[in-house]
Amino acid sequence: MVDSTLFIDILLWAVYLLLAASVAMAVWSAVHGVRTHESSADPIAARRTSMIGYATAGLVAVCLLLTYLLASTQPVVTNGKPFTDTLWLRLTDMFIYTSILLICLCSAIVVVAKFRR
């Protein structure tokens, strides 16, 4: 019989590694974007582009905050044991709800952009 805790440890380390890699790539992408950002000859277009970036970051931050505040703190039974840590319950709900909301919003934007032209 295979020890299942070995696979759980491997899975957790893989998730930690992927999290670290994605955070590193996000930071690198942001730094690279700021360094290679070229000023447009049209200041109106440059202002509109920067406002879209700021609005997107702000809306994601507001979405994360709202979904955290609206998240459930009801205990969850996991492997026969109740899980009652409210911080992790709220964070889990926050990421689930934010992911679902952003996927739906992106899908709606793609559909609107497709039929707009």
Side-chain angles (χ1 to χ4, degrees):
M1 179 130 251
V2 178
D3 184 21
S4 63
T5 59
L6 171 70
F7 295 120
I8 292 173
D9 289 341
I10 292 172
L11 179 66
L12 285 174
W13 281 108
V15 168
Y16 293 149
L17 182 67
L18 287 173
L19 176 66
S22 48
V23 167
M25 287 301 293
V27 169
W28 178 83
S29 177
V31 170
H32 180 71
V34 168
R35 284 186 180 174
T36 60
H37 179 70
E38 296 179 15
S39 310
S40 174
D42 183 13
I44 302 294
R47 187 178 325 148
R48 186 178 306 139
T49 303
S50 65
M51 288 301 293
I52 290 172
Y54 290 136
T56 302
L59 287 174
V60 169
V62 167
C63 181
L64 285 169
L65 178 67
L66 286 176
T67 55
Y68 177 79
L69 294 174
L70 297 173
S72 173
T73 58
Q74 294 294 325
V76 177
V77 178
T78 306
N79 294 330
K81 297 178 184 175
F83 185 74
T84 60
D85 189 0
T86 57
L87 173 71
W88 291 111
L89 288 169
R90 282 185 179 257
L91 284 176
T92 303
D93 277 357
M94 175 188 75
F95 286 122
I96 291 170
Y97 294 148
T98 301
S99 298
I100 291 170
L101 184 64
L102 290 177
I103 289 170
C104 293
L105 185 64
C106 288
S107 299
I109 290 171
V110 167
V111 168
V112 167
K114 176 73 175 168
F115 292 111
R116 190 171 160 185
R117 292 181 183 193

